[in-house]
Amino acid sequence: MRTTRVERIAAGWLALEATGVLALAVWELIALVRGDSGSAASSIALLALTVIGAAALAGFAVAVWRGASAGRSGGIVAQLLVLSIALGTLTGEGADIRLAATIAVPAIVGVILLIAAARVAGRRARGAADAADEV
């Protein structure tokens, strides 16, 4: 099955996000090695979860590239989790609307791309079903 341009763009977006999360993991590792963390155990746990998140995003990117619906749904869940983080930056003493927008905008773009990819895949599936019915 050949994927469309919008599916490849959505996959590329997820891969770019995975790269960003992996860069965050490197930053966390540097902070851990320098001793900039209050708790080494918490820092190691956070580092492990960050690497797992990057691997999940990379896996979703590959799945979307291949046209699998699991990649699109997993990618949308990841974008919604990022949006919840953005919403969290709007609350409390250190609320910062610029930081929230910086976090939210890429996630919104990701949701739009993944929904567009799902719509294209749905049209492709309906077209294949119609072709099978004609035979």
Side-chain angles (χ1 to χ4, degrees):
M1 165 173 48
R2 184 161 171 91
T3 56
T4 63
R5 183 173 187 232
V6 71
E7 289 171 303
R8 291 190 302 272
I9 292 170
W13 190 260
L14 286 171
L16 186 62
E17 288 180 333
T19 304
V21 173
L22 196 57
L24 178 62
V26 169
W27 179 67
E28 291 172 356
L29 180 62
I30 291 169
L32 178 64
V33 170
R34 285 186 176 169
D36 294 341
S37 61
S39 167
S42 293
S43 295
I44 292 169
L46 181 60
L47 177 62
L49 289 173
T50 305
V51 170
I52 290 169
L57 283 169
F60 297 149
V62 170
V64 170
W65 187 273
R66 293 180 177 174
S69 66
R72 293 187 300 271
S73 59
I76 288 174
V77 169
Q79 303 311 306
L80 294 176
L81 289 172
V82 172
L83 284 171
S84 70
I85 293 168
L87 183 62
T89 63
L90 292 174
T91 60
E93 288 183 32
D96 186 356
I97 194 162
R98 289 175 293 173
L99 178 60
T102 302
I103 295 169
V105 169
I108 292 168
V109 170
V111 167
I112 291 168
L113 287 171
L114 288 164
I115 289 173
R119 292 177 56 95
V120 167
R123 274 188 243 121
R124 183 176 53 236
R126 282 190 301 278
D130 291 344
D133 288 343
E134 292 175 7
V135 173

